[in-house]
Amino acid sequence: MTSNLRTTSSALAGERAELLSALADQRELLLITVRGINDAQAIQRTVVSELTLGGIIKHLSRGERVWTQILVEGDGEMPEGMLDLGQYRMTEDDTLAGLLEEYDEAARGTEKAVSELRDLEGTVPLPLTPWSPPEREYWSARRILLHLIRETAQHAGHADIIRETLDGASTTAQR
């Protein structure tokens, strides 16, 4: 599979391009952790938590889609599947190749949405969740992108630990 996760549009410039490039860098580090593994390894638990390499890819794919929908729709409604705990688990019906394809599509969707924004200052209401404060919060497009960067970096670190526990490989050694 050819991945576009590292590519950002050359038509973008400035802060928007920098933020998308930082997100692409974090995606690239994540993808190094799944390089050369098969479906059985991607679904295997190697740590005490329920996290697996495939589950992390699935979750980040859903996360990008959800946050892009929040950004584009701007209506404060809960995107479908946002709270679905199944997004954290690779199932027997999933394949790593399929999950990576979905992640690639989600990344392209994020880049398209960001490239079409008028600016990064505009705010959107966040959906009310069980962990939300009582009053509705509003985030700028910039803050949503920063959140996606943080979320991807955090889970890339989780993935690196899982991979190292799985077979001794680490992102640093595979770079």
Side-chain angles (χ1 to χ4, degrees), residues 34 42-43 52-59 88-90 96 99:
V34 297
I43 201 170
T52 66
L53 293 171
I56 289 171
I57 299 291
K58 190 173 187 176
H59 166 61
Y88 297 95
R89 290 183 207 91
M90 181 177 178
L96 181 58
L99 294 175

Side-chain angles (χ1 to χ4, degrees), residues 52-70:
T52 66
L53 293 171
I56 289 171
I57 299 291
K58 190 173 187 176
H59 166 61
L60 287 174
S61 177
R62 172 74 58 88
E64 285 218 29
R65 289 182 193 279
V66 161
W67 282 104
T68 297
Q69 183 177 342
I70 290 168

Side-chain angles (χ1 to χ4, degrees), residues 28-35 163 170-171 174-175:
E28 182 178 24
L29 290 173
L30 174 69
L31 293 177
I32 290 171
T33 64
V34 297
R35 188 186 303 151
R163 177 65 189 263
S170 71
T171 302
Q174 293 188 70
R175 252 187 144 181

Side-chain angles (χ1 to χ4, degrees), residues 95-172:
T95 64
L96 181 58
L99 294 175
L100 290 171
E101 187 174 306
E102 289 176 25
Y103 191 41
D104 191 47
E105 289 173 15
R108 286 194 311 268
T110 299
E111 183 172 320
K112 181 180 184 300
V114 171
S115 71
E116 293 174 354
L117 291 173
R118 190 179 57 200
D119 60 44
L120 297 176
E121 300 297 324
T123 61
V124 295
L126 300 188
L128 296 175
T129 62
W131 56 86
S132 296
E135 58 283 334
R136 187 173 295 273
E137 288 186 281
Y138 292 80
W139 282 10
S140 68
R142 177 182 298 104
R143 183 160 180 195
I144 289 172
L145 280 170
L146 290 169
H147 175 75
L148 286 173
I149 292 166
R150 185 204 56 79
E151 183 83 1
T152 305
Q154 178 180 5
H155 288 307
H158 294 145
D160 202 35
I161 290 168
I162 292 168
R163 177 65 189 263
E164 191 168 350
T165 307
L166 179 68
D167 65 4
S170 71
T171 302
T172 304

